[in-house]
Amino acid sequence: MSELQAEVQNSTQQISPLRQQLKEFWFYFSENKGAVVGLFFFLFIVLVAILADVISPHAPIEQYREFILIPPAWQEGGNWSFILGTDAVGRDMLSRLIHGSRYSLYTGCIVIAVTLTIGVSLGLSAGFFRGWWEVILMRIMDIILAVPSLLMALVLVAVLGPGLENAMIAISVTYLPHYVRLSRASAVAENARDYVTASRVAGAGKLRLMFITILPNCMAPLIVQATLSFSSAILDAAALGFLGMGAQPPTPEWGTMLAEAREFITSAWWVVTFPGLAILLTVLAINLMGDGLRDALDPKMKRS
Amino acid sequence: MIRFIISKLGLLIPTFIGVTLIAFAFIRVLPGDPIELLAGERGVSPERHAELMALFGFDKPMWEQYIIFLGNILQGDLGQSFITKQPVLDEFLTRFPATVELALCAIIFATLIGLPAGIIAAVKRGSAFDHSLMGVSLAGYSMPIFWWGLLLIILFSSPDMLGWTPVSGRMSAMFWVEPTTGFMLIDTLFFSEEEGAFGSAIHHLILPTIVLGTIPMAVIARQTRSAMLEVLGEDYVRTARAKGLPVGRVIGLHALRNALITVVTVIGLQVGVLLAGAILTESIFSWPGIGKWMVDAIFRRDYFAVQGGLIMVAGIVMIVNLVVDFLYGLINPRILHTR
């Protein structure tokens, strides 16, 4: 074995395929500066949510009756122990915002987990088994899509009763069709490929074919869709909270905080501005990240 | 073409029946029996309860109830509102023009800004304008519009700030406009004698239009940009340029026409987004349209109104989507032959 060959072998051994993939992913992802900014801001929010109890200066539902509607610290009449001011019953805005991040991220995670598992299973099975099962399933998805998602979610919450958990269930149902359609289409396309036939001939079972052979090859669009629905789920949950159908007061959920703050829009700008800003920045960060993911994972979907 | 439409219609009918099934199930899966729900906390005597059950047909077997329900829908009978005792269809139709007016203004606003912005960004790809437009449109796409509405109210309506625009409703209380078409702009312009009513209608429209149009505007700008970029890279565009045609003509005539195929579809698909957005926008601005009506109906437990509204909204979305499909086939004949 010549020296050169040994060297080549050495270097390929050092970098495992997984690390190679990750490296390649990061290369494309980091080309998009916005995506990197989005990623870091998102990690920051995750950190805030994890450390909420440690870093928030007050308890989120503690009411300081002598400090009602105190403006932010830098304004006249502000108080440095309430940096972003207090709301109408004297609760610290900053602490409520910090704790609010938990509810938003929690909502996003649960909605994705539910829709991804159920939607992908249904979609793959539809694309794999075809026939009447596929027809019925896709018609049901069409029905869900025919109703605007927020209206569908509102009606579902009306049936289930208001609350954050029910809002998450309702949102998951309205997002399901996207995953079912996406994974069905991929499964149909992949099913005709040779490698699938090969593993079928080799005796792979149906479940193995669906989840181990086909699924990894349809992951890219699903991951991108998942990021998009993460941010939409946060928006929709906040919208339901705003309409009084999501998380119920005194939960420091951002949308619910906005609903409580509505009557003070002319007198106390900070109770309205900050929760909305928190929603906007979080959603923006995730969408930026989603753009980068799309570029890195699926060059076909890349917008020129 | 006819085959194309028939195949689309064939998909539509089972979907619509599915929607009626959901709407039918809606009242029946609510916890508790429907009469107690409708009566609310007051409760009803057992005799009255039985009477009402018979009146609404809840005592019949499920399948029979559904057949009657479907038959009524096909005859345009969506039941009666439990609160106002008015037919649900009438209630819906009196409010519908308000939503259509707002949605049309919003989509016009979104297209007027989003389309040219997307074209310029594509032509000047990589420029500062391109980058900032993409940033703004991503922010618009990520916007919680219920907060955006409140912010605009603080800025433009609050007397401490600019105090330019009114906060709620469609018309100042000074005027009484008899609804002729239900479209406030048309009614005040052609059918009303009142001086200044038209101006007031426009004034009331500005903020809701911006709020409802923000997300469609962002989507249209982004999609126009990417559709234009794709088309600008095509050979026939290069040929047109090589022939020495002026740049404006190449962009406006050769490139834009093909890019519009994508853009028209995108605009059409915003209808569902607009109706969902109308729920929030109308709630913020007390706009008397169907979005606010449905939220109010949910809160007042007026379940027949919710049920009827659900069917109507779904039906409208489906019809609009069909029209968009049709238009798409019309401007892009390729799609008709690939099926």
Side-chain angles (χ1 to χ4, degrees), chain B:
Chain B
M1 192 62 182
I2 293 168
R3 262 184 61 191
F4 176 72
I5 296 174
I6 290 175
S7 74
K8 287 283 173 190
L9 271 176
L11 284 178
L12 211 67
I13 293 165
T15 313
F16 185 74
I17 291 176
V19 170
T20 60
L21 259 175
I22 291 186
F24 174 80
F26 165 63
I27 288 190
R28 282 140 187 104
V29 297
L30 286 164
D33 88 61
I35 298 301
E36 273 166 33
L37 275 170
L38 293 167
E41 278 150 21
R42 281 171 300 150
V44 281
S45 66
E47 302 88 63
R48 180 83 184 126
H49 184 270
E51 205 179 300
L52 284 170
M53 285 292 268
L55 178 67
F56 290 116
F58 287 134
D59 54 347
K60 296 194 174 72
M62 253 340 155
W63 62 268
E64 203 180 330
Q65 287 184 39
Y66 178 68
I67 299 289
I68 296 172
F69 175 72
L70 197 61
N72 286 345
I73 292 173
L74 293 178
Q75 292 168 38
D77 177 10
L78 295 176
Q80 262 187 18
S81 156
F82 206 74
I83 310 280
T84 61
K85 310 288 181 211
Q86 297 291 314
V88 169
L89 187 66
D90 289 359
E91 291 225 315
F92 183 91
L93 289 178
T94 49
R95 285 167 180 81
F96 189 52
T99 300
V100 174
E101 187 174 42
L102 177 58
L104 276 180
C105 289
I107 201 76
I108 291 170
F109 163 80
T111 313
L112 279 182
I113 297 184
L115 190 68
I119 295 171
I120 298 173
V123 173
K124 309 202 168 201
R125 182 184 180 183
S127 66
F129 178 84
D130 185 17
H131 285 303
S132 38
L133 180 80
M134 283 302 97
V136 169
S137 83
L138 197 66
Y141 186 68
S142 313
M143 189 64 85
I145 61 168
F146 42 98
W147 174 68
W148 181 225
L150 295 178
L151 260 181
L152 290 178
I153 290 178
I154 294 182
L155 194 62
F156 290 107
S157 304
S158 136
D160 305 336
M161 299 291 273
L162 294 168
W164 287 348
T165 51
V167 181
S168 69
R170 294 177 81 187
M171 178 56 59
S172 143
M174 278 158 54
F175 305 108
W176 167 246
V177 178
E178 192 67 41
T180 316
T181 58
F183 292 92
M184 202 53 101
L185 289 179
I186 299 176
D187 284 352
T188 51
L189 196 60
F190 297 114
F191 299 106
S192 167
E193 304 292 309
E194 302 215 46
E195 201 72 26
F198 182 65
S200 171
I202 288 192
H203 240 78
H204 280 80
L205 254 172
I206 296 173
L207 287 192
T209 297
I210 296 175
V211 169
L212 189 54
T214 299
I215 291 180
M217 182 174 71
V219 175
I220 291 172
R222 269 171 87 95
Q223 298 286 351
T224 306
R225 177 181 176 272
S226 59
M228 278 299 280
L229 280 180
E230 203 166 294
V231 173
L232 284 175
E234 296 276 346
D235 287 343
Y236 69 88
V237 171
R238 203 182 317 146
T239 312
R241 276 220 172 121
K243 282 199 305 189
L245 290 180
V247 179
R249 200 177 150 82
V250 174
I251 291 165
L253 209 70
H254 294 248
L256 186 59
R257 260 183 81 172
N258 279 289
L260 275 183
I261 293 172
T262 322
V263 175
V264 167
T265 321
V266 171
I267 294 175
L269 290 177
Q270 294 301 307
V271 172
V273 177
L274 280 175
L275 284 175
I279 294 173
L280 293 165
T281 314
E282 289 178 2
S283 298
I284 300 167
F285 292 100
S286 308
W287 189 266
I290 48 164
K292 184 168 168 13
W293 174 66
M294 286 205 68
V295 173
D296 289 348
I298 287 175
F299 273 103
R300 289 189 307 205
R301 297 163 169 267
D302 190 350
Y303 294 123
F304 283 123
V306 178
Q307 186 185 47
L310 196 64
I311 293 172
M312 288 301 289
V313 170
I316 289 163
V317 171
M318 283 192 277
I319 291 172
V320 172
N321 285 347
L322 185 73
V323 172
V324 172
D325 268 349
F326 175 71
L327 282 180
Y328 189 65
L330 215 58
I331 56 175
N332 184 11
R334 274 168 289 187
I335 194 96
L336 295 181
H337 300 293
T338 48
R339 289 184 67 87

Side-chain angles (χ1 to χ4, degrees), chain A residues 139 143 146 148 150 155 158-159 235 238-239 242-243 245 258 262 265 272-273 276-277 280 283-284 287-288 291 303-304, chain B residues 11 15 18 22 26 30-31 125 138-139 141-142 144 146-147 153-154 222 229 272 276 280 283-284 298-299 313-314 317:
Chain A
R139 284 296 79 74
I143 294 166
L150 187 62
V155 170
V159 174
L235 273 180
F242 180 74
L243 291 172
M245 290 304 219
L258 269 175
R262 265 183 84 168
I265 54 174
V272 181
T273 312
L277 202 60
L280 173 64
V283 172
L284 187 60
N287 282 344
L288 279 169
D291 267 9
R303 299 227 177 103
S304 25
Chain B
L11 284 178
T15 313
I22 291 186
F26 165 63
L30 286 164
R125 182 184 180 183
L138 197 66
Y141 186 68
S142 313
F146 42 98
W147 174 68
I153 290 178
I154 294 182
R222 269 171 87 95
L229 280 180
L280 293 165
S283 298
I284 300 167
I298 287 175
F299 273 103
V313 170
V317 171

Side-chain angles (χ1 to χ4, degrees), chain A residues 60-96:
Chain A
I61 50 170
E62 175 82 57
Q63 302 181 1
Y64 298 91
R65 289 304 173 109
E66 61 275 33
F67 297 106
I68 283 171
L69 285 176
I70 300 259
W74 59 88
Q75 272 205 331
E76 201 173 327
N79 183 332
W80 278 106
S81 57
F82 305 103
I83 299 176
L84 295 181
T86 58
D87 68 4
V89 287
R91 292 173 298 201
D92 179 41
M93 285 298 290
L94 180 62
S95 310
R96 287 178 71 72

